[in-house]
Amino acid sequence: VIPDSVTSIGESVFSDRSSLEYISLPKSVICLNGNPIADWDGKLECLSPNFIYEDDVLFNKDKSKIISFRNQAVISYIIPDSVTSIGDRAFCCCSFLFGIVIPNSVTSIGDRTFCGCSFLSEVDIPDSVTSIGNGAFYDCSSLRSVVIPDGVTSIGDDVFSGCSSLSSLVLPDSVTSIGNSAFSGCSSLSSLVIPDSVTSIGNSAFRGCSSLRSLVIP
């Protein structure tokens, strides 16, 4: 039980604590940095009025941000229209999640948001999204195809690293940079056209892309 003196809890503080069965967030907590309970499946009680916890999903107070998705019983999830941002590691290691529907209200996807979602095969990123964080789809080994919307300007570090089933990817003309190891381990990717707008490509961006036979670089 966290004492009432605590107002802020850091990212991944309780991650992967398999022996920990129960956590109670006190009323005093006003700030959660990232997802403190990523990859933890114990019982959560939220007493803080600054957050909403319902159906095993933790939101901020006005439900404009998903902090932690913890419902391991569902294979698909429709994000509510109230959500404008998906937090860092929000869906991390949700290994039973096959599909996710992101509404047009969402403008940003955080760092490592879906990392380790090994069964996630379908993601439709709406045109409203302008920011995709580092490692957002890291190790999503079942992800087959992705269309990046026109508003996104950068493909960050490790965004699709380890997406071994990714065979179709479309990059818009708005993209100006591709980060380190962005497509590392995308062993099923056979072709990719880099738009003329791209001015920088990071280290090891295409390392391990063993099936890549056509790469057009401006």
Side-chain angles (χ1 to χ4, degrees):
V1 177
I2 300 169
D4 289 337
S5 57
V6 173
T7 59
S8 176
I9 301 176
E11 181 176 353
S12 302
V13 169
F14 302 107
S15 294
D16 197 26
R17 300 292 186 266
S18 58
S19 299
L20 186 61
E21 298 178 353
Y22 169 83
I23 295 174
S24 178
L25 300 179
K27 295 179 181 179
S28 57
V29 173
I30 60 174
C31 178
L32 297 178
N33 298 304
N35 182 1
I37 51 177
D39 197 22
W40 175 74
D41 58 3
K43 181 181 178 181
L44 177 68
E45 179 184 39
C46 181
L47 302 177
S48 172
N50 298 289
F51 306 95
I52 294 175
Y53 186 53
E54 59 184 23
D55 299 326
D56 289 326
V57 184
L58 183 64
F59 300 89
N60 64 345
K61 186 176 182 179
D62 62 359
K63 295 183 73 172
S64 63
K65 181 178 182 179
I66 292 182
I67 296 169
S68 182
F69 181 86
R70 312 188 66 241
N71 193 332
Q72 299 292 332
V74 302
I75 61 173
S76 63
Y77 181 66
I78 301 174
I79 295 175
D81 290 337
S82 60
V83 173
T84 59
S85 66
I86 307 174
D88 297 347
R89 296 172 64 89
F91 289 85
C92 182
C93 298
C94 291
S95 56
F96 293 104
L97 194 65
F98 276 80
I100 186 83
V101 177
I102 303 174
N104 289 325
S105 56
V106 172
T107 60
S108 66
I109 297 173
D111 293 343
R112 294 188 175 251
T113 295
F114 298 102
C115 74
C117 293
S118 55
F119 287 152
L120 186 64
S121 60
E122 298 179 8
V123 176
D124 185 7
I125 304 176
D127 291 339
S128 55
V129 172
T130 59
S131 173
I132 300 176
N134 294 332
F137 298 96
Y138 181 86
D139 207 20
C140 290
S141 55
S142 297
L143 190 63
R144 296 191 298 267
S145 65
V146 176
V147 177
I148 307 295
D150 290 336
V152 174
T153 59
S154 67
I155 305 297
D157 297 344
D158 298 307
V159 169
F160 297 104
S161 181
C163 294
S164 55
S165 298
L166 187 64
S167 59
S168 176
L169 180 69
V170 177
L171 298 179
D173 291 335
S174 57
V175 172
T176 60
S177 65
I178 295 174
N180 298 328
S181 302
F183 304 103
S184 176
C186 293
S187 55
S188 297
L189 192 64
S190 59
S191 65
L192 184 64
V193 176
I194 308 296
D196 292 341
S197 53
V198 172
T199 58
S200 67
I201 299 176
N203 296 331
S204 302
F206 304 102
R207 183 178 183 179
C209 295
S210 54
S211 298
L212 193 61
R213 289 174 171 81
S214 175
L215 179 61
V216 179
I217 300 177

